[in-house]
Amino acid sequence: MTNCPCTSGLSFDECCGPYLNGQKNAPTAEALLRSRYTAFTKTNIDYIRDTRHPRSESAFDEESARKWSEESQWQGLEIISIDEPKENATLSKIEFIARYKQNDKEEEHNENAVFVKDTDGRWYFQDGDFLRPETFVRKNNKVGRNDPCPCNSGKKFKKCCGR
C-alpha cells in the first residue's frame, strides 16, 4: 500500500486512485485539487484535461503540461487555504503550493485556484492565478564593502563585520 502523492496521509487506493481510474468523481473541490496534483505526479494528462471546466478561461496546453509533469520530481502538496463553499455552493477557491524538483532545483508552484460545480453536480477546475513571491525590500541602505563598518569600529566593512 503506497501513500497517495497528494500528501493526504491516505493510501492511493483510498484517496485519489478511484478518481484517476474513473470509478467516481471527486466529491469536493479539495478532493479534485488533490487528485489533479496526483495526476501530474503520474503524468495522467487526460485526467488533467477532463477535469477542466469546458468554459475555463485559459487554454490548456497539453504538451506543456505533459513536459512539466514528466520533467518534475514531485515533492508534495500543501493547501494554504480553502474558501469553503456553503451548502449547495457552486464555487470554491483554494490556495495551494505544489513543490517539485526540476533540473536539481527546488521549485514551488503557488496558485489561487477556482473550482466550479456544474449542474451535473461534478466539480471542475476553472482557472487559477499564479502567485509570485513577495519582493524583498531592504529597510536600511546596503553597506558597501568599502564603507565604514556599521559597528563603529572605524574599519572598513570588508575588514571588519563583512568578513
Side-chain angles (χ1 to χ4, degrees):
M1 176 166 69
T2 59
N3 282 343
C4 192
C6 78
T7 64
S8 66
L10 300 172
S11 73
F12 175 73
D13 293 334
E14 294 175 301
C15 191
C16 296
Y19 310 134
L20 270 68
N21 296 331
Q23 296 170 324
K24 60 183 183 177
N25 294 328
T28 65
E30 179 184 355
L32 180 60
L33 169 68
R34 289 183 177 282
S35 66
R36 285 174 57 85
Y37 171 83
T38 300
F40 272 108
T41 70
K42 297 187 175 293
T43 315
N44 187 340
I45 305 305
D46 291 340
Y47 184 80
I48 300 296
R49 183 190 58 245
D50 294 344
T51 55
R52 289 179 58 88
H53 195 274
R55 295 183 305 262
S56 73
E57 297 174 15
S58 58
F60 179 58
D61 184 350
E62 191 168 326
E63 195 52 45
S64 291
R66 183 176 310 286
K67 185 177 179 185
W68 185 40
S69 175
E70 290 172 344
E71 293 178 358
S72 300
Q73 296 171 318
W74 299 93
Q75 308 290 313
L77 174 69
E78 178 184 356
I79 296 178
I80 305 297
S81 66
I82 302 175
D83 179 12
E84 288 290 340
K86 294 180 179 139
E87 194 172 327
N88 299 323
T90 59
L91 182 77
S92 182
K93 296 178 183 178
I94 303 176
E95 180 184 349
F96 69 94
I97 299 173
R99 292 186 173 80
Y100 60 99
K101 201 174 193 179
Q102 204 170 45
N103 300 323
D104 293 326
K105 185 178 177 192
E106 301 282 335
E107 302 281 354
E108 289 186 349
H109 176 85
N110 189 352
E111 182 177 318
N112 269 332
V114 177
F115 296 86
V116 293
K117 190 180 201 181
D118 213 344
T119 55
D120 61 2
R122 186 174 170 193
W123 283 99
Y124 292 92
F125 169 76
Q126 183 175 24
D127 205 5
D129 292 322
F130 182 68
L131 301 173
R132 304 246 180 245
E134 289 186 29
T135 303
F136 174 77
V137 178
R138 189 180 310 277
K139 294 178 182 167
N140 300 325
N141 290 336
K142 184 177 178 181
V143 178
R145 42 184 275 118
N146 288 316
D147 291 341
C149 191
C151 76
N152 294 321
S153 66
K155 297 179 182 178
K156 288 185 180 183
F157 179 68
K158 69 182 179 185
K159 295 284 186 177
C160 190
C161 296
R163 289 186 153 176

